[in-house]
Amino acid sequence: MNHSFKKHLAELASFMMENGLSLDQVPKVKLRGDDTGDDPTNSPTAYYEPDSRLIVLFTKGRHPKDVLRSFAHEMIHAAQHADGQLESDKLEGAHSATYAQDDKHLRKMEEDAYLRGNMMFRDWTDSKKKT
């Protein structure tokens, strides 16, 4: 991803924080262009590491808007962590492949990240159309 993509990441992060996302600072971001497996359908697209406050975004073969949408989703997880909703005692099942189906709390966190992340991303892209 090029310099203009990184500019979009910064703009989206600022927009989210200006529009109600409760974070003191944007987490560190790592862009990974490597291949994540043989089956792209089941490969990870992004994740948030609470201990290091790091968002990892996989970029290989993905449209920039899709990567930005993943970033918005992970920003919600960072805010959940800042709010104490993703403390280590609440993440016991997080490494299971089916954590979002098996753990009610983590499912709620995922639902929140999908809804708020996608809506904030949509609001940001719509605001860019106006300028």
Side-chain angles (χ1 to χ4, degrees):
M1 299 275 159
N2 59 24
H3 173 72
S4 66
F5 178 78
K6 291 178 182 177
K7 180 181 165 208
H8 290 309
L9 275 174
E11 287 176 6
L12 176 55
S14 293
F15 177 88
M16 292 177 78
M17 292 172 70
E18 290 166 4
N19 287 278
L21 191 66
S22 186
L23 275 174
D24 292 334
Q25 64 183 31
V26 176
K28 294 175 280 184
V29 177
K30 179 179 180 180
L31 301 177
R32 286 188 51 180
D34 58 325
D35 198 349
T36 57
D38 294 333
D39 182 3
T41 304
N42 291 319
S43 298
T45 56
Y47 61 89
Y48 173 67
E49 291 181 353
D51 292 338
S52 58
R53 298 179 193 262
L54 172 70
I55 293 173
V56 177
L57 301 170
F58 293 91
T59 61
K60 186 175 182 180
R62 295 179 66 199
H63 192 284
K65 281 181 83 170
D66 184 44
V67 177
L68 289 165
R69 188 177 298 107
S70 291
F71 174 70
H73 177 99
E74 300 306 329
M75 283 284 286
I76 300 299
H77 286 318
Q80 292 167 341
H81 178 237
D83 290 345
Q85 298 178 72
L86 291 181
E87 293 300 322
S88 59
D89 64 321
K90 297 178 182 172
L91 296 176
E92 291 177 17
H95 296 293
S96 161
T98 58
Y99 72 89
Q101 290 77 35
D102 300 337
D103 186 301
K104 289 180 183 179
H105 175 72
L106 294 176
R107 184 169 186 87
K108 184 177 177 183
M109 295 298 97
E110 284 299 319
E111 289 170 348
D112 179 45
Y114 278 106
L115 177 61
R116 285 197 299 152
N118 278 322
M119 291 310 299
M120 289 185 129
F121 177 72
R122 173 65 187 262
D123 292 344
W124 175 71
T125 58
D126 287 350
S127 73
K128 293 190 71 67
K129 294 174 188 174
K130 293 178 186 176
T131 58

